Amino acid sequence: MLDDFLIRAALAGLGVALAAAPLGCFVVWRRMAYFGDATAHASILGVALALGFSMSIFAGALTVALIMATTVSTLTGRGYAMDTLLGVMAHSALAFGLVAVSLLTNVRIDLMAYLFGDILAVAKIDLLIIWGGAALVLTLLVWRWQALLTTTISTDLAYASGIDPKREQLVLTLALALVVAVAIKVVGVLLIAAMLIIPAAAARPLSATPERMAAIASLIAAAAALGGLQISFTLDTPTGPTIVCVAATLFALSSLISAVVRPAQRS
């Protein structure tokens, strides 16, 4: 069954969707959209280093994404404005990564595949990495769910409950780096943040509880992955951007439903 490239692509899309959507809820709640973007942009530097030193691309992307996320978390609140810091680091990391890739004269690399994804080229080993990373991310989120929610609501409430907000930020940082590393093959560096944010934002108007929002976001992300794959195959369009387009369409439908249903409920 896994010899069919479409089956492998569908499984890869589902793995990324299940990992990114619940984590994306925390990204939306904490207004960390640019944080995810900066981490994703940094991963292209990890790809370049991995190719240059003949390492695993997953290991290189994960290492650099984790360093970026940890650096941003450490510097935040030490005299640097968050948006300024993220803007500088995101674009600098992407620029250094692109320059590093251009210097790899003895390595042939399809840069577009890493920028926008190449889900149709996913191999069996990639599936193992994607689903292994997704399982680890989901395990982290389930294990720390209540503590993460409490910290998201209020750091003072977290301290009062005996929870260390810095530790929970570290958990989110690790989970975010893992998602970036496993998603780079599917949607690429430039679209990873979209898969983190759009499904969660689409689920928000349809949810009454945090748990329901995470579940609905996962369903929306899965629908976007499978729908985008089908549309891409039918219309011969780039698969990664098509997946994000389907997610954006679902977000528009969610917003429309919310705009229609809420006034009706009030009346």
Side-chain angles (χ1 to χ4, degrees), residues 8 16 19 34 37 52 75 89 93-94 124 152 157 227 232 238 257 267:
R8 293 197 301 271
V16 170
Y34 214 178
D37 213 24
L75 292 179
M89 298 194 70
L94 180 59
K124 293 180 181 179
T152 300
L157 180 61
S232 172
I257 292 172
S267 61

Side-chain angles (χ1 to χ4, degrees), residues 61-243:
L62 175 62
T63 300
V64 175
L66 188 57
I67 291 173
M68 169 65 81
T70 304
T71 301
V72 172
S73 297
T74 302
L75 292 179
T76 301
R78 297 190 178 184
Y80 298 92
M82 172 66 91
D83 58 343
T84 302
L85 179 65
L86 289 176
V88 170
M89 298 194 70
H91 300 299
S92 299
L94 180 59
F96 276 110
L98 294 175
V99 170
V101 167
S102 70
L103 295 176
L104 298 175
T105 55
N106 297 324
V107 179
R108 295 186 63 183
I109 177 174
D110 183 3
L111 189 57
M112 294 295 288
Y114 289 104
L115 291 177
F116 298 102
D118 191 11
I119 190 174
L120 297 180
V122 167
K124 293 180 181 179
I125 186 64
D126 296 319
L127 281 180
L128 183 62
I129 292 173
I130 289 170
W131 278 93
L136 186 53
V137 168
L138 290 175
T139 300
L140 277 173
L141 292 180
V142 170
W143 174 44
R144 305 303 304 170
W145 181 262
Q146 196 57 51
L148 287 169
L149 274 180
T150 303
T151 305
T152 300
I153 294 170
S154 170
T155 55
D156 291 335
L157 180 61
Y159 281 121
S161 303
I163 299 170
D164 184 0
K166 292 183 179 179
R167 181 184 60 200
E168 305 312 317
Q169 178 66 32
L170 182 61
V171 170
L172 276 182
T173 298
L174 177 59
L176 184 60
L178 276 170
V179 167
V180 167
V182 301
I184 191 172
K185 186 78 172 181
V186 177
V187 291
V189 169
L190 299 181
L191 302 178
I192 291 173
M195 287 304 292
L196 281 167
I197 299 164
I198 296 177
R204 194 169 194 172
L206 307 177
S207 310
T209 64
E211 292 77 12
R212 183 176 297 178
M213 179 172 164
I216 294 176
S218 298
L219 292 175
I220 291 173
L226 296 180
L229 181 62
Q230 179 61 51
I231 292 172
S232 172
F233 183 73
T234 303
L235 301 180
D236 193 23
T237 56
T239 308
T242 304
I243 290 173

Side-chain angles (χ1 to χ4, degrees), residues 34-48:
Y34 214 178
F35 184 90
D37 213 24
T39 305
H41 285 180
S43 64
I44 196 67
L45 179 57
V47 170

